[in-house]
Amino acid sequence: MSADTSFIEDLPAGPLDAYRKKAKFDWKKLKLVFEDVNLLKMKLKVWNALEKDSIFQRPEKELLTKEQKRIAALQLQQFRKYKFMPTNGQKASIKDRARYLMTINEALAAAYPDVSVKQALGVFLFQNTLATLGTERHQHIIEALWNRQILSALALTEVAHGSDAKNMRTTAVYDKETQEFIINTPDFKAAKCWVGNLGKTCTVALVFAQLYIGDQCYGLHAFVVPIRNPKTLLPYPGIIVGDIGEKIGLNGVDNGFIMFQNYKIPRENLLNKISDVTPEGEYESRISDPTKILGATLENLLAGRVGTMQESANNLACAVTIAIRYAAVRTQFGPSNNEELPIIEYQLHQWRLFPYVAAASILKIFSTAAIRHYLNVIEISHTETTVDNLNDMISEVHAIISAGKPLTTWACRDGIQECRECCGGHGYLKAARFGELRDTIDARITYEGDNNVLVQQTSNWLLRQWHSVLEEGQVCSPLSTCSFLKDHLVILKFKFNGSTVQDVKNINFITRCYQWLITYLVKITHDKQTALLEHSKCKFTARNDSQVYKAAILSRVYGEFVALKYYWKRINRNDVEISLRPILETLGILYGLSCLDKHLVYLYQGGFANNHSLSELVKNGILDVCSLLKSDVVAVVDALAPPDFVINSILGKADGKLYEHIQAEFFNNPGAMSRPSWWREIKVDNAPELKIRSKL
Amino acid sequence: MANCLSDFPPGPLDKYRKLASFDWKQLSLFLNGEEFLNYRNELYNEILKYSVLLEQTDQTPTLDELRRKTTQKVFALKLVRDSVTARTNCNYADMSFAESSLAYLLDPSASVKRSVTFYMFTSVIASMGTERHRHFIENCLNGEILGCFGLTEIGHGSNTRGMRTTATYDPASRQFILHSPDFQAAKCWVGSLGQTATHGAIFAQLVTPDGIKHGLHAFVVPIRDSKTLVPYPGVKVGDMGEKIGLNGVDNGFIMFDQYHIPRENLLNKIGDVTEDGRYVADITDPNRRHGAALGNLSDGRINITSVNMCYLSKAVTIAIRYAAVRKQFSATEDDEEIPILEYQSHQHRLLPHLATFYAFRTFCKYLLEERDKFQLLLNKKSIDVHRITNTGLELHAISSACKSLAGWYARDAIQECREACAGHGYLKASGLGELRSNQDVCCTYEGENHVLIQQTSNWLLRLWPLVLKGKSVSTPLNTVEFLNRAPQILTSKFTPNSFEELTEPKNILDTFQWLVCYLLKLSFEKYESLKQHSLHSVESKAFWAKNDSQVFYAKSLSIAYIQHLILTAMSDKISKAADFKIKTVLEKLFALFAVTCLEKHIPFLYAGSYASGPTAAVLIQDSILRLCKSIKNDAIALVDVIAPPDFIVNSVLGYSDGQVYKHLEAAMLRAPGALSRPSWWKEITNWKKNIHSKL
Ligand SMILES: Cc1cc2nc3c(=O)[nH]c(=O)nc-3n(C[C@H](O)[C@H](O)[C@H](O)COP(=O)(O)OP(=O)(O)OC[C@H]3O[C@@H](n4cnc5c(N)ncnc54)[C@H](O)[C@@H]3O)c2cc1C
Ligand SMILES: Cc1cc2nc3c(=O)[nH]c(=O)nc-3n(C[C@H](O)[C@H](O)[C@H](O)COP(=O)(O)OP(=O)(O)OC[C@H]3O[C@@H](n4cnc5c(N)ncnc54)[C@H](O)[C@@H]3O)c2cc1C
């Protein structure tokens, strides 16, 4: 049975046809491996609507940042009015509904990142938190949100504390007399900051503060806090709220700061699913099952992170599309004076770009899988029944995503930069779009959990698994991402004994390498921590001093392994046609080898490879696969690419008419060919008359 | 002692300043020299006299306004330089580096624009023109005409031979007729051409009346009337619009439509056309003429190397000062919170970049001095043509590699620094975003890095046959003298067994010499074997063999070569340090830079059987961590040595007083309109009226 691809539009003819014709597969079918049919249709619906909508027209001239904020706010309001959800969507399961919402935001993010950030924070994540940490008494807020009556914000970060949430200093003191919480910000360092939508537009925010009853601190809790009068947008008395000013990117988002001065909110505004304060001022826990608490808290964190993974994978896909299409059309140098070559023909250029095409493919599928697992555990934790290993499952999903978010965002960062450089001077034009892509991904490295801090969560989990292997001979890996650890004795004896490129260009070799690497790294990290602990007696120090070359690499390697694992699973599903297998495997192997190339040191250091040819074989393997990919790569990016309107780059359009688009851009730029308004300031009156004779 | 070094205001950085193992002023003096420090001080004081250079804005202006301001700054910066050079007599190397460390950091757009408007234009004329063009230089340096440098075309950048703008000589009018056959042949990216230049040094294919093409030549081409700034008829010139960075520069495109210019405007040093239309040239080989026509591009690359390092110095200044002040997490609830500089991972992210600057600082000085000597050689019109040519080639090989490497180092350092400052690093007021956007292009212009660095390996590859034949290798700058010992070097082994042995300068240099020999041998063999077994046509065999030996090993070869040279320069400098404390800290920085470079080459050490067993890899990694840890307490003082003045740091996170939170607070509260409702607030409250769905 062949998938129906008729809803996917054909691509316009042009200079890219030469390479398109060489492809050995149907790009539309490949697209349906990268994307779920129904979700893809939904995204196309979103994009089609936006392309026609005047509010979403791209500005001709650059906008001042305050103007960008205005446009983004208007676009968000417009977007919220659209009804993209399928008619049966409202009745769908929690899981399906969430998936639809994520997809709608994903579509928005690919074309309008600022608006999507505003929506994600101000609507979806807010709603998510209310649903998971709030109770019936907060239902009316959720309704107002759906009725588009309010826009919100999530305020966790403070000026002096970001990653370290425990030490946040905003307080919410319970006042028995009035049955209110009194919120205070001790000083500027404790001001909430970076909060998206808070700068100019939100009317309510979810604020995380240390809950106090009397002198007793009960830790960080979430409160619904009214910020501005919805009719006037003026802040309420008792708070100082403002916009944090210009940023590197995402300037349509009004990130804000806020300081509270004896600001009172009703007792009911505490989100009280996990714990509550009674009117009399008693603190009480409401959920006894710790796994449910864990689930509820993590759900909020993870939602943003899986979303970030997906968006980053999409951005990477967008960047490689631009660079590959450019490389296939751009010619430079040649074997003889009258023959020029497209730069895609240069091995060096392939080496720079193709691994990122592979990465985009793998990471797109990986992030889809991560979302599926995330939604699964959410669904299970929302059912009343207790599932035995839910706790373990949640931990594992958490570990996957804590490695996956950094892996994806960093790959995207590096890929975008390489693509920008691969397009030479023209890549530096704003209209090429790499600047915006880079500035957007840059923020993702930091928010939703700073990458360098986040990876520690994964290594901690793996170290716990290692511990239980050593103690009990088993691992708690219900999703079996690291169940192989129990065979560590065998795995650590693996040796590389290949001698030809064929010996490395296969998934078995790659899998063996990864299993060995993970086992080896978890072992040496553990050993190092144990030694440090003995020496310093301080767990904190032991952990910190075993990050570089140990724990941090461990998380990375694990992330790559899991990404490949899910990719391989996907391409072996029976809906994938035989004709697609070769290209899909090529991409997988290229990703695997180009990642391994960065870890060769460990393979030598740990004795996996004594054979000195390993590094050469891996590198030659990459070159081989690259040259294999060359005739297919344009079709691969066709499968990865969203429509031109979304890519929004004069270098990356599907028709490949590169120079026509550059010309149109230059000639149509407003004012491009007129004198500057300030020309008198630089004219020279006493300039010597120089001979110039024009043809006139 | 240099009284130009003043103490820093007290503040949260004091804690680390007191921990420093050396006196930062002493180090600054040793590293920079008094002449440099004085010159930089003069320059700085002169800058302070121009109010337009002191303006700082919180909000990005419109493109038009930015252009206007930048142009004003260009003139101000030119006056600054003119007046300082007139009253001090500083050597070229120090002057050039000081310019990079102040002007380029103060305003990259204005500095780039100043450079193309005044210096690139005139230097093309100086090197390719003759007596009859001298007035252009004078007029330009007096600010009466504004120049630009036009080489790149829409369709061709790196491949200069493919340029398609033509300059056809018309004997009847005794003029050249410039013409762009189509849009792909339009000159583009030309800095200052977009809105302001009145003249350009434009490269075009010279065609004689007999239809013969004589290759690229440069012409002085009038573009706009300097009284009205209106372009002359026959040229279609425009601005390229917004870019990722350097938006203050008006990069432009231009198309010529049978545009006539006087015959004398051909820069005729290498070739000329007689009035009746005959081509005459000393160099008859068109290939060599092409090289000569592009002139000496090393200068630009040498400068960009320094500029990149100054960008890097600003980034590490910001991130390291922030890391010393920013605290996050504590061991237990009762403990004090820890500055993030104390975390191993944070040290490892930042400190190697600090070491990079120190390594390059001495190298840049060496390089600028060599460049200066070369210029003297040229000016002397010395008879030793052979020596001039070979020195030029070696400088070209050096500058092609170090420009590329410095670009990549700066790029990576800035990004790491941005991430290391996490959320607040993403503020515009951190300064890191603009730094990144402006630096980015250094990997592209003045020779696209990946294309450029091939020049270095090409040069090296031409030397290897001498080694094979047992002939002696001797180059004017002596950068590869060790190739004469290549056979012995190639049989040597990695011997260090301890941290001390590994980081010993001699051992480090030995290892790099092995790397260069090894990679050169492999590149050569790969190239030869590809050529031999090539299925391509005879004429294109060499072309393909060259292309297919870049990833392996030519690129790594160029990198290892230049790293060796950088390390040599630094170790020479260190050996001159009299103060034990200074010597010690510099040795650590040397080792950190060296071992960090070496880390990337580990697979080669094994593949070439130079190392075997786990020791080498483990030792290298452990040494890096150990060095980071031991430099940590000196980090702030080391930053103090290289930091630009506060006004030029211009980052809320990186000022020398370390009052990060005060500056953040001021920046957030000060931003215009920060606390007020947006002017368009009604569009939000009344949004139902404003927005109508089309669905
Ligand atoms: C565009 C943008 C939007 C945002 N939106 C919101 C929002 O809506 N709401 C909100 O609450 N917040 C928001 N944030 C804030 C964001 O969540 C924080 O910036 C992030 O959590 C990191 O915290 P921090 O900036 O305080 O960094 P810090 O925690 O101070 O970290 C600084 C540096 O130190 C390193 N570091 C810290 N601890 C350790 C350690 N233990 N070991 C090793 N290294 C360490 C980090 O890797 C980092 O490089 C946003 C940020 C950005 C950039
Ligand atoms: C801000 C800015 C200012 C500039 N100012 C000026 C100016 O004032 N005057 C001027 O004349 N020019 C200027 N330029 C142009 C600049 O010099 C060119 O962009 C540069 O030479 C690179 O050429 P290109 O853009 O055509 O890239 P291309 O040569 O088209 O290269 C595109 C990509 O292909 C790769 N590639 C090309 N050939 C090969 C090969 N043989 N092997 C492997 N890979 C290859 C390159 O690595 C690159 O990644 C400026 C550019 C910028 C961005």
Side-chain angles (χ1 to χ4, degrees):
Chain A
M1 186 205 71
S2 187
D4 173 21
T5 55
S6 58
F7 70 99
I8 304 173
E9 281 183 35
D10 289 331
L11 297 172
L16 288 168
D17 292 350
Y19 283 100
R20 281 194 179 125
K21 284 197 194 108
K22 291 186 188 161
K24 294 179 275 302
F25 58 91
D26 176 352
W27 67 270
K28 292 185 181 175
K29 288 182 180 157
L30 184 61
K31 196 176 202 67
L32 295 187
V33 178
F34 293 144
E35 315 257 3
D36 173 281
V37 186
N38 293 321
L39 300 181
L40 176 61
K41 285 183 179 163
M42 199 156 167
K43 287 197 279 184
L44 289 170
K45 196 164 124 191
V46 175
W47 290 329
N48 283 333
L50 299 189
E51 191 171 5
K52 293 195 199 91
D53 189 330
S54 59
I55 295 178
F56 283 89
Q57 291 314 299
R58 298 215 162 80
E60 267 202 356
K61 261 185 100 161
E62 96 287 5
L63 299 173
L64 293 177
T65 55
K66 59 178 182 194
E67 192 62 8
Q68 289 175 29
K69 291 200 172 75
R70 169 171 167 265
I71 303 281
L74 292 178
Q75 288 175 338
L76 174 61
Q77 286 172 342
Q78 172 76 341
F79 193 81
R80 289 175 79 184
K81 288 188 82 177
Y82 280 107
K83 297 191 170 49
F84 292 120
M85 190 80 113
T87 35
N88 60 356
Q90 299 295 333
K91 284 183 239 105
S93 65
I94 301 186
K95 186 169 146 187
D96 290 343
R97 234 179 93 87
R99 191 66 183 97
Y100 285 139
L101 288 179
M102 289 178 93
T103 305
I104 292 172
N105 204 55
E106 179 196 340
L108 181 60
Y112 298 88
D114 299 48
V115 190
S116 94
V117 168
K118 280 179 76 70
Q119 165 162 280
L121 290 167
V123 184
F124 298 151
L125 291 177
F126 179 68
Q127 185 270 337
N128 218 344
T129 320
L130 286 182
T132 49
L133 298 180
T135 54
E136 317 73 55
R137 75 186 190 207
H138 306 109
Q139 193 56 34
H140 67 283
I141 306 175
I142 299 193
E143 265 149 38
L145 198 68
W146 285 139
N147 293 335
R148 308 189 300 270
Q149 287 160 328
I150 53 177
L151 179 70
S152 178
L154 295 182
L156 175 64
T157 307
E158 293 177 358
V159 170
H161 291 96
S163 307
D164 181 8
K166 263 201 200 134
N167 275 316
M168 304 269 161
R169 289 163 60 236
T170 305
T171 56
V173 180
Y174 185 64
D175 178 9
K176 227 177 349 189
E177 306 307 310
T178 58
Q179 300 197 4
E180 287 174 323
F181 285 103
I182 307 171
I183 309 186
N184 265 300
T185 306
D187 53 38
F188 178 73
K189 284 166 81 171
K192 294 287 170 194
C193 72
W194 278 106
V195 184
N197 293 337
L198 182 64
K200 296 281 175 201
T201 51
C202 76
T203 51
V204 47
L206 204 68
V207 174
F208 289 81
Q210 304 285 359
L211 191 160
Y212 275 88
I213 303 175
D215 289 338
Q216 177 73 29
C217 178
Y218 293 89
L220 224 46
H221 286 69
F223 301 84
V224 177
V225 181
I227 305 285
R228 294 183 174 91
N229 179 331
K231 297 203 184 62
T232 61
L233 275 204
L234 288 174
Y236 293 113
I239 56 184
I240 299 175
V241 59
D243 191 278
I244 63 168
E246 281 193 44
K247 302 175 296 270
I248 289 183
L250 290 175
N251 275 306
V253 182
D254 49 323
N255 291 88
F257 64 93
I258 189 164
M259 298 176 76
F260 299 96
Q261 211 172 12
N262 289 325
Y263 188 69
K264 295 185 179 151
I265 57 165
R267 182 186 68 95
E268 293 77 22
N269 288 19
L270 167 68
L271 296 192
N272 60 334
K273 186 183 237 160
I274 296 175
S275 48
D276 203 354
V277 175
T278 63
E280 298 73 37
E282 294 297 318
Y283 184 84
E284 59 184 29
S285 291
R286 291 172 45 114
I287 299 186
S288 46
D289 182 354
T291 62
K292 297 270 172 175
I293 300 182
L294 183 67
T297 341
L298 284 182
E299 176 171 346
N300 291 307
L301 292 176
L302 295 186
R305 287 175 194 160
V306 281
T308 303
M309 281 174 70
Q310 178 121 48
E311 285 158 20
S312 308
N314 287 339
N315 280 175
L316 180 56
C318 188
V320 296
T321 301
I322 302 169
I324 291 288
R325 287 179 177 166
Y326 184 76
V329 178
R330 176 80 172 175
T331 56
Q332 207 76 194
F333 298 103
S336 65
N337 281 343
N338 39 27
E339 187 193 353
E340 276 190 309
L341 285 179
I343 51 180
I344 205 172
E345 298 288 332
Y346 293 101
Q347 190 185 67
L348 182 61
H349 213 69
Q350 297 163 8
W351 168 273
R352 290 166 71 192
L353 273 183
F354 292 4
Y356 291 110
V357 177
S361 313
I362 276 71
L363 295 173
K364 242 177 114 76
I365 287 177
F366 174 38
S367 56
T368 308
I371 291 177
R372 199 175 55 243
H373 283 302
Y374 158 74
L375 292 173
N376 273 341
V377 293
I378 298 307
E379 189 167 63
I380 301 175
S381 45
H382 280 275
T383 56
E384 292 306 314
T385 49
T386 14
V387 178
D388 273 354
N389 59 354
L390 180 60
N391 208 352
D392 296 336
M393 249 161 93
I394 293 173
S395 304
E396 188 160 9
V397 171
H398 183 58
I400 293 174
I401 293 172
S402 299
K405 186 253 174 185
L407 178 72
T408 326
T409 48
W410 274 328
C412 182
R413 169 198 72 184
D414 296 344
I416 289 171
Q417 182 64 29
E418 196 66 64
C419 289
R420 141 56 207 114
E421 292 176 27
C422 277
C423 293
H426 299 323
Y428 197 67
L429 285 171
K430 181 169 179 189
R433 198 164 173 230
F434 293 118
E436 184 214 302
L437 286 172
R438 182 172 70 191
D439 291 342
T440 308
I441 186 66
D442 193 20
R444 296 208 188 103
I445 289 167
T446 297
Y447 67 48
E448 298 294 350
D450 176 276
N451 278 4
N452 281 287
V453 177
L454 204 54
V455 289
Q456 303 185 17
Q457 309 269 336
T458 304
S459 51
N460 290 344
W461 178 78
L462 283 163
L463 285 162
R464 282 203 301 279
Q465 303 312 312
W466 182 246
H467 210 251
S468 91
V469 167
L470 296 182
E471 299 281 300
E472 299 149 37
Q474 58 182 6
V475 254
C476 301
S477 173
L479 304 176
S480 62
T481 57
C482 72
S483 23
F484 59 84
L485 281 181
K486 60 183 184 305
D487 305 324
H488 61 101
L489 292 175
V490 184
I491 291 177
L492 285 175
K493 290 204 189 90
F494 285 174
K495 290 263 180 295
F496 177 68
N497 46 20
S499 54
T500 69
V501 178
Q502 293 312 325
D503 296 329
V504 302
K505 268 183 3 190
N506 62 75
I507 191 69
N508 291 337
F509 163 78
I510 294 172
T511 308
R512 268 169 84 87
C513 273
Y514 271 108
Q515 292 188 344
W516 181 89
L517 269 171
I518 294 170
T519 314
Y520 170 73
L521 285 164
V522 77
K523 180 177 185 304
I524 62 167
T525 309
H526 169 88
D527 293 351
K528 172 98 182 181
Q529 283 194 1
T530 315
L532 285 167
L533 195 59
E534 226 152 74
H535 184 72
S536 72
K537 304 283 174 240
C538 172
K539 250 181 130 163
F540 182 73
T541 313
R543 190 174 286 171
N544 291 334
D545 290 354
S546 53
Q547 290 299 321
V548 182
Y549 302 127
K550 305 249 162 13
I553 296 288
L554 171 61
S555 298
R556 177 166 193 115
V557 167
Y558 169 80
E560 290 166 357
F561 171 70
V562 177
L564 257 177
K565 186 180 155 85
Y566 285 120
Y567 177 79
W568 220 259
K569 226 168 147 174
R570 173 70 189 91
I571 69 173
N572 280 301
R573 250 169 47 190
N574 51 17
D575 66 332
V576 177
E577 278 186 28
I578 295 291
S579 64
L580 297 174
R581 290 279 158 82
I583 182 66
L584 286 165
E585 287 180 11
T586 303
L587 290 168
I589 286 169
L590 178 54
Y591 180 72
L593 289 181
S594 56
C595 290
L596 280 177
D597 186 41
K598 307 213 168 65
H599 310 311
L600 290 172
V601 175
Y602 300 95
L603 298 172
Y604 282 113
Q605 166 189 311
F608 177 82
N610 292 323
N611 182 335
H612 58 133
S613 64
L614 177 70
S615 91
E616 196 141 326
L617 293 178
V618 167
K619 290 184 162 68
N620 279 323
I622 298 174
L623 291 182
D624 267 18
V625 181
C626 281
S627 69
L628 209 65
L629 194 56
K630 191 187 72 193
S631 51
D632 284 333
V633 74
V634 170
V636 173
V637 301
D638 287 340
L640 285 170
D644 281 354
F645 158 71
V646 177
I647 294 180
N648 191 23
S649 160
I650 54 166
L651 307 186
K653 292 199 196 295
D655 64 8
K657 295 183 178 156
L658 175 63
Y659 294 111
E660 290 174 32
H661 297 300
I662 299 183
Q663 183 168 14
E665 173 74 18
F666 285 2
F667 287 10
N668 297 338
N669 244 334
M673 292 194 249
S674 55
R675 278 187 294 193
S677 56
W678 36 270
W679 65 274
R680 284 196 178 78
E681 293 178 18
I682 57 165
K683 69 176 175 135
V684 183
D685 287 323
N686 63 343
E689 272 308 321
L690 295 166
K691 272 191 278 179
I692 138 92
R693 277 167 268 171
S694 79
K695 68 172 173 172
L696 297 180
Chain B
M1 201 182 115
N3 49 12
C4 39
L5 297 171
S6 41
D7 292 318
F8 294 105
L13 291 171
D14 292 352
K15 190 185 116 200
Y16 282 101
R17 288 202 171 114
K18 288 197 188 109
L19 290 174
S21 66
F22 63 93
D23 177 350
W24 75 272
K25 291 183 183 173
Q26 293 286 352
L27 178 56
S28 178
L29 199 60
F30 175 71
L31 195 69
N32 295 309
E34 195 141 6
E35 203 169 331
F36 170 85
L37 292 173
N38 286 333
Y39 182 85
R40 194 179 62 171
N41 233 25
E42 290 283 329
L43 202 58
Y44 183 57
N45 290 333
E46 194 66 26
I47 285 175
L48 295 179
K49 291 182 191 159
Y50 289 83
S51 61
V52 64
L53 296 177
L54 308 184
E55 285 173 20
Q56 299 194 335
T57 51
D58 294 322
Q59 284 195 308
T60 308
T62 60
L63 189 61
D64 189 53
E65 185 57 21
L66 180 63
R67 292 287 173 75
R68 177 167 162 253
K69 278 277 170 258
T70 307
T71 307
Q72 291 174 353
K73 290 184 190 182
V74 167
F75 294 117
L77 280 176
K78 177 180 187 303
L79 296 178
V80 167
R81 177 148 160 185
D82 289 351
S83 96
V84 182
T85 34
R87 70 168 182 266
T88 48
N89 71 7
C90 180
N91 64 67
Y92 174 81
D94 285 336
M95 190 190 86
S96 169
F97 201 83
E99 281 283 342
S100 308
S101 73
L102 289 179
Y104 272 86
L105 288 186
L106 176 66
D107 194 319
S109 281
S111 303
V112 167
K113 191 167 156 65
R114 177 185 64 168
S115 166
V116 286
T117 305
F118 298 112
Y119 311 131
M120 272 178 90
F121 176 70
T122 49
S123 93
V124 174
I125 300 176
S127 65
M128 304 238 280
T130 52
E131 201 45 41
R132 73 184 191 211
H133 304 108
R134 191 201 284 279
H135 65 284
F136 288 119
I137 300 184
E138 282 159 12
N139 289 335
C140 181
L141 291 179
N142 290 335
E144 287 150 9
I145 64 177
L146 307 174
C148 67
F149 173 90
L151 174 62
T152 308
E153 294 178 1
I154 295 279
H156 290 94
S158 305
N159 183 14
T160 46
R161 277 173 219 270
M163 302 287 169
R164 290 167 55 238
T165 303
T166 51
T168 310
Y169 184 67
D170 171 30
S173 61
R174 297 203 197 123
Q175 292 178 332
F176 281 103
I177 306 172
L178 287 177
H179 191 67
S180 321
D182 53 35
F183 179 69
Q184 283 196 45
K187 293 285 167 196
C188 71
W189 280 113
V190 183
S192 271
L193 177 65
Q195 297 178 299
T196 50
T198 60
H199 288 70
I202 304 285
F203 290 80
Q205 294 283 352
L206 193 159
V207 187
T208 39
D210 50 13
I212 294 178
K213 288 188 174 168
H214 299 274
L216 268 195
H217 287 70
F219 300 83
V220 176
V221 182
I223 293 165
R224 293 182 174 90
D225 182 334
S226 46
K227 294 198 190 64
T228 60
L229 280 204
V230 173
Y232 293 115
V235 301
K236 188 176 203 166
V237 56
D239 186 79
M240 297 175 65
E242 278 188 276
K243 303 176 295 277
I244 290 183
L246 290 184
N247 272 309
V249 183
D250 50 324
N251 289 91
F253 62 90
I254 189 166
M255 290 181 77
F256 301 102
D257 180 11
Q258 310 288 353
Y259 183 65
H260 290 232
I261 58 167
R263 183 184 72 94
E264 298 76 26
N265 285 21
L266 164 67
L267 297 180
N268 59 336
K269 190 184 239 160
I270 53 157
D272 204 351
V273 172
T274 59
E275 287 200 5
D276 57 351
R278 273 178 307 111
Y279 184 75
V280 283
D282 290 343
I283 309 175
T284 45
D285 175 9
N287 276 334
R288 278 190 50 217
R289 207 159 59 219
H290 181 79
L294 287 178
N296 178 12
L297 296 175
S298 291
D299 276 15
R301 292 169 187 153
I302 292 170
N303 279 331
I304 292 208
T305 307
S306 316
V307 170
N308 269 314
M309 282 303 128
C310 293
Y311 287 154
L312 181 147
S313 75
K314 177 165 164 177
V316 297
T317 297
I318 296 167
I320 293 180
R321 283 181 177 161
Y322 183 66
V325 176
R326 179 75 172 179
K327 294 178 179 164
Q328 209 75 188
F329 297 104
S330 51
T332 70
E333 272 176 38
D334 307 323
D335 285 320
E336 279 207 30
E337 286 183 89
I338 297 176
I340 52 178
L341 182 55
E342 295 294 327
Y343 291 104
Q344 180 192 60
S345 87
H346 216 71
Q347 293 162 12
H348 182 253
R349 288 165 70 190
L350 294 179
L351 300 182
H353 299 299
L354 179 65
T356 301
F357 179 86
Y358 275 87
F360 267 87
R361 178 65 183 96
T362 40
F363 170 74
C364 286
K365 176 144 181 158
Y366 153 83
L367 188 59
L368 286 161
E369 280 167 0
E370 290 301 335
R371 134 60 179 88
D372 205 22
K373 283 187 215 155
F374 180 56
Q375 193 60 45
L376 289 178
L377 207 64
L378 286 176
N379 292 350
K380 260 197 251 152
K381 304 241 165 24
S382 120
I383 19 263
D384 194 350
V385 183
H386 198 62
R387 186 172 171 80
I388 291 185
T389 314
N390 285 338
T391 313
L393 289 174
E394 192 164 9
L395 264 182
H396 180 62
I398 298 174
S399 64
S400 297
C402 71
K403 181 262 175 188
S404 304
L405 202 63
W408 288 324
Y409 279 142
R411 173 196 71 187
D412 294 346
I414 293 169
Q415 181 62 29
E416 195 63 67
C417 290
R418 191 332 265 145
E419 292 177 29
C421 297
H424 299 323
Y426 197 69
L427 281 173
K428 180 180 148 102
S430 81
L432 292 165
E434 278 177 65
L435 201 53
R436 178 174 70 197
S437 308
N438 291 328
Q439 187 278 329
D440 185 18
V441 68
C442 291
C443 296
T444 299
Y445 62 19
E446 298 274 351
E448 205 284 333
N449 279 3
H450 278 96
V451 178
L452 189 61
I453 202 165
Q454 303 184 15
Q455 306 281 330
T456 309
S457 50
N458 288 347
W459 180 78
L460 286 163
L461 282 165
R462 284 198 294 273
L463 299 173
W464 192 248
L466 297 176
V467 176
L468 291 179
K469 287 182 204 133
K471 291 196 183 149
S472 96
V473 179
S474 144
T475 61
L477 302 180
N478 264 329
T479 60
V480 283
E481 193 270 328
F482 60 89
L483 283 184
N484 290 311
R485 285 177 286 117
Q488 300 89 293
I489 291 176
L490 281 171
T491 55
S492 64
K493 294 277 173 252
F494 181 82
T495 52
N497 265 315
S498 64
F499 172 79
E500 288 72 21
E501 285 170 15
L502 175 71
T503 54
E504 158 72 36
K506 174 163 183 318
N507 290 340
I508 297 258
L509 293 176
D510 281 351
T511 305
F512 275 89
Q513 291 176 0
W514 178 85
L515 264 172
V516 175
C517 292
Y518 172 72
L519 292 168
L520 181 49
K521 176 170 178 285
L522 258 63
S523 301
F524 184 86
E525 287 168 358
K526 175 142 186 184
Y527 172 76
E528 289 297 324
S529 126
L530 283 168
K531 206 164 71 177
Q532 209 165 42
H533 300 114
S534 172
L535 300 175
H536 294 279
S537 67
V538 183
E539 61 191 34
S540 62
K541 277 186 174 148
F543 174 80
W544 283 107
K546 183 115 313 149
N547 291 336
D548 292 350
S549 53
Q550 289 307 319
V551 173
F552 270 142
Y553 304 83
K555 183 177 163 190
S556 307
L557 167 63
S558 303
I559 292 176
Y561 160 76
I562 201 71
Q563 285 171 338
H564 173 257
L565 195 59
I566 294 167
L567 288 164
T568 309
M570 189 175 186
S571 101
D572 287 351
K573 175 83 182 171
I574 295 177
S575 65
K576 293 184 195 121
D579 182 318
F580 175 72
K581 290 176 180 163
I582 283 176
K583 198 176 181 113
T584 309
V585 73
L586 286 177
E587 275 169 354
K588 287 183 195 168
L589 291 163
F590 170 86
L592 182 56
F593 176 72
V595 184
T596 310
C597 292
L598 201 55
E599 188 190 7
K600 307 256 162 21
H601 299 300
I602 289 178
F604 292 128
L605 303 185
Y606 283 100
S609 296
Y610 186 62
S612 55
T615 328
V618 175
L619 194 57
I620 287 172
Q621 292 182 342
D622 285 352
S623 303
I624 292 176
L625 295 180
R626 193 163 152 181
L627 285 161
C628 284
K629 197 168 181 174
S630 83
I631 288 172
K632 175 205 74 186
N633 284 345
D634 284 334
I636 289 299
L638 287 169
V639 160
D640 288 342
V641 172
I642 68 172
D646 276 349
F647 150 67
I648 285 173
V649 170
N650 192 19
S651 159
V652 289
L653 308 182
Y655 290 123
S656 61
D657 64 5
Q659 303 283 5
V660 169
Y661 295 108
K662 276 196 192 158
H663 296 299
L664 267 173
E665 183 171 8
M668 287 194 194
L669 294 170
R670 168 186 79 200
L675 297 177
S676 58
R677 276 192 292 204
S679 55
W680 34 272
W681 64 275
K682 282 198 180 125
E683 293 178 10
I684 296 202
T685 54
N686 291 338
W687 64 273
K688 287 190 179 153
K689 280 193 220 111
N690 280 325
I691 295 184
H692 308 282
S693 166
K694 286 207 182 124
L695 282 190

